[in-house]
Amino acid sequence: MNDYIALKKRNTVKIGLKDEDGNVKLDESGHEAFIEFDLEDINLVDNYSKAISLCEKAGTDLKTQIAVINKRKDDKQINSVITKNEKDKVDALKKYYKTIEEAMNLFLGENGFTKIFGKSRYLTMLDDLSDMLEPIMPLLKVNIEGIQNKIISKYKTQDEDVLKDE
């Protein structure tokens, strides 16, 4: 094939990741791990909003499930370590974190949540994620305004002297 079309360079932001000790995280191939945001993606802010909404719903669902479990009579221990209600609480937490992961991947991209946190899950991870994302949120806001302005200028009427039906 002799002919090709080339895509223009997109306005993206790559954010490198570090572990708790400040060491650069590496992916499976040994390359630096990062998450990338396409600042021209018109769905980016909507995906963030959906992710936050899904996380809030997951939190509400978890509280409801835990309340139901706490109100029922606990059965005998399943094994020497954990009772039936305790096992159900652990299962509810696992479901909660799975929902959180799926929701945040809407915004962070495929496997973005796992790139940041690995496979472990802990109670304050959403707060940690919020703190991590805080520096890039102004970029998203400015860029959305820029996209809106580009669309407006591209499609505005060129001839301002045209009569308008009012």
Side-chain angles (χ1 to χ4, degrees), residues 1-6:
M1 178 172 273
N2 295 340
D3 296 324
Y4 295 91
I5 59 170

Side-chain angles (χ1 to χ4, degrees), residues 3-69:
D3 296 324
Y4 295 91
I5 59 170
L7 297 175
K8 292 182 180 180
K9 180 89 171 131
R10 302 291 299 264
N11 186 11
T12 61
V13 171
K14 288 184 181 181
I15 300 180
L17 304 172
K18 292 185 177 182
D19 64 17
E20 304 85 18
D21 299 322
N23 301 317
V24 173
K25 281 189 164 190
L26 303 177
D27 63 17
E28 306 83 37
S29 306
H31 300 100
E32 286 189 28
F34 62 89
I35 54 176
E36 184 174 13
F37 297 97
D38 181 348
L39 297 179
E40 293 183 13
D41 181 356
I42 60 173
N43 294 313
L44 187 61
V45 173
D46 188 42
N47 287 345
Y48 179 72
S49 179
K50 285 179 187 175
I52 296 301
S53 177
L54 288 169
C55 289
E56 289 170 353
K57 183 181 180 325
T60 302
D61 292 348
L62 176 64
K63 287 177 186 177
T64 302
Q65 289 174 341
I66 297 295
V68 168
I69 293 168

Side-chain angles (χ1 to χ4, degrees), residues 34-132:
F34 62 89
I35 54 176
E36 184 174 13
F37 297 97
D38 181 348
L39 297 179
E40 293 183 13
D41 181 356
I42 60 173
N43 294 313
L44 187 61
V45 173
D46 188 42
N47 287 345
Y48 179 72
S49 179
K50 285 179 187 175
I52 296 301
S53 177
L54 288 169
C55 289
E56 289 170 353
K57 183 181 180 325
T60 302
D61 292 348
L62 176 64
K63 287 177 186 177
T64 302
Q65 289 174 341
I66 297 295
V68 168
I69 293 168
N70 285 337
K71 288 182 181 182
R72 73 177 187 219
K73 183 181 178 208
D74 200 0
D75 290 335
K76 297 177 186 174
Q77 290 184 326
I78 297 173
N79 55 41
S80 61
V81 179
I82 193 168
T83 66
K84 169 83 167 98
N85 283 0
E86 290 169 340
K87 169 85 169 86
D88 290 347
K89 287 178 187 178
V90 168
D91 290 343
L93 276 170
K94 286 180 182 179
K95 181 180 176 186
Y96 167 77
Y97 283 117
K98 183 68 175 163
T99 302
I100 295 298
E101 181 177 346
E102 290 170 358
M104 290 313 297
N105 281 342
L106 287 173
F107 176 64
L108 298 172
E110 186 176 344
N111 297 319
F113 199 75
T114 301
K115 285 180 187 178
I116 294 171
F117 294 107
K119 295 191 187 277
S120 65
R121 302 292 176 252
Y122 56 93
L123 291 175
T124 59
M125 64 194 318
L126 281 179
D127 295 331
D128 291 349
L129 182 61
S130 179
D131 292 344
M132 288 178 221

Side-chain angles (χ1 to χ4, degrees), residues 144-158 160:
I144 289 301
E145 291 169 358
I147 290 171
Q148 289 172 341
N149 290 337
K150 283 181 185 179
I151 291 170
I152 289 169
S153 66
K154 182 175 182 175
Y155 294 105
K156 76 177 182 179
T157 305
Q158 297 298 322
E160 297 295 329

